[in-house]
């Protein structure tokens, strides 16, 4: 069976205030064309179809048009909700839409109810694990404790139990929206660390033939059978070095497996430039970035006059301007943001407690209270989002 693995469309998202809907439409045209040219048997979309719980009407129309085109082509499609989606909204009409070959998996309780598709070697069972917020789904899945690893393990136990009840030789594909250890994040993914340790080991997914992951925006291989397709478009300058692709997976009999990357169209290349403004304006080696979307980081010791206007004269698509003046390591004006880089919300809160106490961090009891407070905010936000 030939499977096209994609995820993280984020329909309706902009890039530094530049609307991306036209580029997203071009990508979806490319997806449908790829399905036809490559004789794809099934499309899997591993979450974050939309960029927000309440998407714009234009984003919904684009999504609807794409589903109609896939259904008209007779290509079964399996998709799950991600942490950006409203699972209930995305799942509206799922039973009816399934009759057209579009299978939406947005309810955690249905994670062990597969979409079963036949091929020359038998059957392939597609299991959809939507984004699982630990505090919201722990009881539903019967997880023994809180945390991302616990709820995903409970979901996968259900998947393996269902798979064991099927005819020998049935192959299994799992769609999941999660942060799996070994994956490389970027700046454009929404943080999911609150609610337990975010990264889960790839071994959680043992026992199936392929795991189609969503959430991280870089196309990457965690293990040979566990892969992220990444987002089809760049949504932050941290993705400037990404090669945006989909995975074309061939799943045959007798554990035959191949994976090939299919490039996505690039609306405009990204460039991250750093240096003093005079260097950026005069360096002939930077000529190649005139048509790129540019993020310029200026290192001048003093802020130059009208920097954006001057940069736009040479780089007309400059979208982001950052100031990081060259300073000595012991300079007290060194950026506070740099000290926070790479630290999650829990660590920042604990560091703040230590700071106001003159170096004494929180006790275990206080740390538990802090973590519970973050979890409560996360849960309440999730409930509000569903209710909206």
């Amino acid at each position: 069976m030939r499977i096209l693995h994609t995820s993280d469309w984020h329909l309706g998202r902009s890039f530094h205030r530049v609307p991306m809907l036209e580029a997203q439409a071009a990508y979806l045209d490319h997806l449908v064309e790829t399905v036809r040219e490559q004789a794809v048997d099934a499309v899997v979309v591993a979450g974050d179809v939309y960029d927000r719980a309440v998407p714009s009407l234009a984003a919904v129309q684009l999504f609807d048009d794409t589903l109609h085109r896939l259904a008209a082509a007779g290509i079964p499609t399996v998709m799950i909700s991600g942490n950006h989606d409203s699972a209930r909204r995305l799942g509206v009409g799922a039973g009816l839409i399934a009759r057209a070959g579009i299978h939406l998996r947005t309810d955690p309780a249905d994670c062990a109810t597969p979409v079963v598709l036949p091929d020359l070697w038998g059957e392939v069972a597609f299991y959809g694990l939507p984004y699982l917020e630990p505090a919201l789904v722990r009881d539903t899945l019967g997880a023994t404790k809180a945390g991302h690893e616990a709820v995903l393990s409970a979901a996968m136990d259900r998947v393996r139990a269902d798979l064991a009840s099927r005819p020998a030789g049935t192959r299994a594909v799992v769609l999941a929206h999660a942060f799996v250890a070994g994956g490389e994040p970027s700046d454009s993914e929404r943080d999911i660390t609150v609610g337990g340790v975010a990264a889960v080991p790839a071994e959680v997914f043992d026992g199936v033939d392929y795991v189609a992951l969503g959430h991280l925006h870089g196309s990457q291989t965690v293990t040979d059978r566990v892969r992220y397709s990444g987002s089809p478009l760049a949504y932050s300058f941290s993705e400037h070095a990404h090669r945006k692709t989909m995975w074309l997976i061939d799943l045959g009999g007798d554990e035959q497996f191949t994976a090939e990357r299919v490039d996505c169209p690039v609306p405009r290349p990204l460039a991250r430039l750093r240096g003093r403004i005079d260097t950026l304006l005069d360096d002939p080696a930077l000529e190649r970035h005139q048509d790129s979307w540019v993020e310029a980081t200026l290192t001048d010791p003093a802020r130059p006059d009208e920097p954006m206007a001057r940069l736009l004269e040479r780089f007309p698509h400059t979208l982001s301007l950052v100031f990081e003046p060259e300073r000595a390591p012991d300079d007290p004006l060194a950026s506070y943001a740099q000290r926070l880089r790479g630290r999650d919300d829990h660590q920042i809160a604990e560091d703040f407690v230590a700071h106001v106490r003159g170096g004494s961090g929180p006790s275990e009891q206080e740390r538990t209270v802090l973590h519970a407070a973050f979890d409560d905010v996360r849960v309440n936000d999730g409930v509000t989002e569903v209710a909206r």
Side-chain angles (χ1 to χ4, degrees), residues 160-384:
R160 284 185 284 264
D162 180 83
L163 184 60
S165 70
R166 297 187 175 275
T170 299
R171 288 150 292 155
V173 173
V174 167
L175 291 72
H177 196 86
F179 185 3
V180 177
E184 183 66 31
S186 61
D187 293 343
S188 55
E189 299 110 10
R190 182 180 293 168
D191 178 44
I192 61 171
T193 57
V194 179
V197 177
V200 301
E203 290 77 14
V204 164
F205 299 103
D206 284 353
V208 299
D209 296 273
Y210 183 65
V211 181
L213 293 175
H215 180 57
L216 299 186
H217 287 183
S219 179
Q220 51 198 298
T221 301
V222 179
T223 71
D224 192 42
R225 300 293 183 108
V226 180
R227 298 169 185 256
Y228 283 99
S229 67
S231 62
L233 299 168
Y235 293 117
S236 71
F237 277 102
S238 66
E239 301 168 57
H240 71 286
H242 286 187
R243 175 187 166 195
K244 294 300 184 182
T245 63
M246 303 175 283
W247 285 112
L248 192 63
I249 304 297
D250 282 311
L251 200 61
D254 298 325
E255 298 188 356
Q256 296 176 9
F257 177 87
T258 61
E260 177 186 348
R261 293 176 76 174
V262 179
D263 288 298
C264 299
V266 178
R268 192 179 296 278
L270 307 186
R272 272 185 149 173
L273 308 183
R274 182 183 183 88
R276 298 193 177 196
I277 192 167
D278 289 341
T279 301
L280 300 186
L281 294 177
D282 298 335
D283 187 350
L286 301 181
E287 194 75 18
R288 67 185 188 277
H289 297 306
Q290 283 196 327
D291 290 328
S292 301
W293 277 322
V294 169
E295 177 187 73
T297 300
L298 300 184
T299 61
D300 303 70
R303 184 171 298 207
D305 293 333
E306 299 184 342
M308 180 60 91
R310 294 163 65 187
L311 286 165
L312 285 169
E313 289 183 7
R314 186 178 193 195
F315 307 107
H317 304 288
T318 301
L319 299 180
S320 176
L321 186 57
V322 181
F323 294 98
E324 291 187 5
E326 296 169 350
R327 301 187 188 279
D330 58 350
D331 190 325
L333 296 178
S335 172
Y336 177 65
Q338 289 181 351
R339 299 201 298 273
L340 297 183
R341 192 168 295 157
R343 306 184 71 75
D344 62 29
D345 292 339
H346 292 163
Q347 292 169 320
I348 292 171
E350 291 178 19
D351 288 349
F352 177 76
V353 173
H355 171 72
V356 298
R357 286 180 174 173
S360 176
S363 65
E364 278 303 317
Q365 183 177 3
E366 291 168 332
R367 186 176 288 110
T368 299
V369 171
L370 280 173
H371 285 212
F374 279 115
D375 286 352
D376 286 344
V377 170
R378 182 99 182 166
V379 170
N380 290 335
D381 182 64
V383 171
T384 302

Side-chain angles (χ1 to χ4, degrees), residues 135-176:
L136 294 176
V137 304
R138 176 181 176 180
D139 292 340
T140 299
L141 295 175
T144 56
K145 55 184 179 180
H148 290 276
E149 182 176 351
V151 295
L152 272 169
S153 295
M156 282 303 301
D157 285 344
R158 293 186 173 200
V159 167
R160 284 185 284 264
D162 180 83
L163 184 60
S165 70
R166 297 187 175 275
T170 299
R171 288 150 292 155
V173 173
V174 167
L175 291 72

Side-chain angles (χ1 to χ4, degrees), residues 10 12-20 24 51 235:
H10 288 280
R13 188 164 186 161
S14 60
F15 181 75
H16 288 267
R17 299 178 300 281
V18 175
M20 295 293 286
Q24 290 169 339
D51 189 56
Y235 293 117

